[in-house]
Amino acid sequence: MKKPVNNPREVAEIVAVQALSFVAGDPERLGLFLAESGIGPETLRTAVADPHFLAHVLDFVMRDDATVKAFASASQLQPTNIAAARQALGDPHWERDVP
């Protein structure tokens, strides 16, 4: 059985990875994201390890109400959960390895 995730930073990273998957599911949205982020599809997988990149993914999703609503619906999250995830990724007090 999988251990539940309680660390806000880990939860935020999971939400951001879900957001990236959501973005990648729409070629037009993915193209806009890649153009804005300046990375290529070949470096997308390695970029996921960078918390700043994950924060950028959530920034991209949150900048448009329709996109936030679509992602929230697709991921079964409330828009406030997405905003909280973004805030946790930007919080310097939450380090990746803190239990």
Side-chain angles (χ1 to χ4, degrees):
M1 182 160 66
K2 200 171 190 181
K3 180 181 153 188
V5 178
N6 294 319
N7 180 318
R9 179 65 175 237
E10 289 180 42
V11 172
E13 289 176 358
I14 291 167
V15 171
V17 170
Q18 289 175 329
L20 180 58
S21 178
F22 171 78
V23 168
D26 179 324
E28 184 177 334
R29 192 176 290 138
L30 179 60
L32 289 171
F33 176 74
L34 292 176
E36 182 179 298
S37 67
I39 66 167
E42 66 282 350
T43 58
L44 199 53
R45 288 181 194 259
T46 57
V48 173
D50 180 359
H52 297 290
F53 173 77
L54 293 176
H56 180 67
V57 172
L58 292 178
D59 287 340
F60 179 81
V61 168
M62 291 176 50
R63 74 176 185 200
D64 176 61
D65 285 342
T67 305
V68 172
K69 289 176 185 176
F71 171 57
S73 177
S75 61
Q76 299 181 342
L77 293 170
Q78 294 295 319
T80 54
N81 297 122
I82 300 165
R86 174 57 185 97
Q87 183 176 359
L89 287 175
D91 187 344
H93 294 80
W94 289 108
E95 296 297 324
R96 296 191 106 202
D97 298 328
V98 173

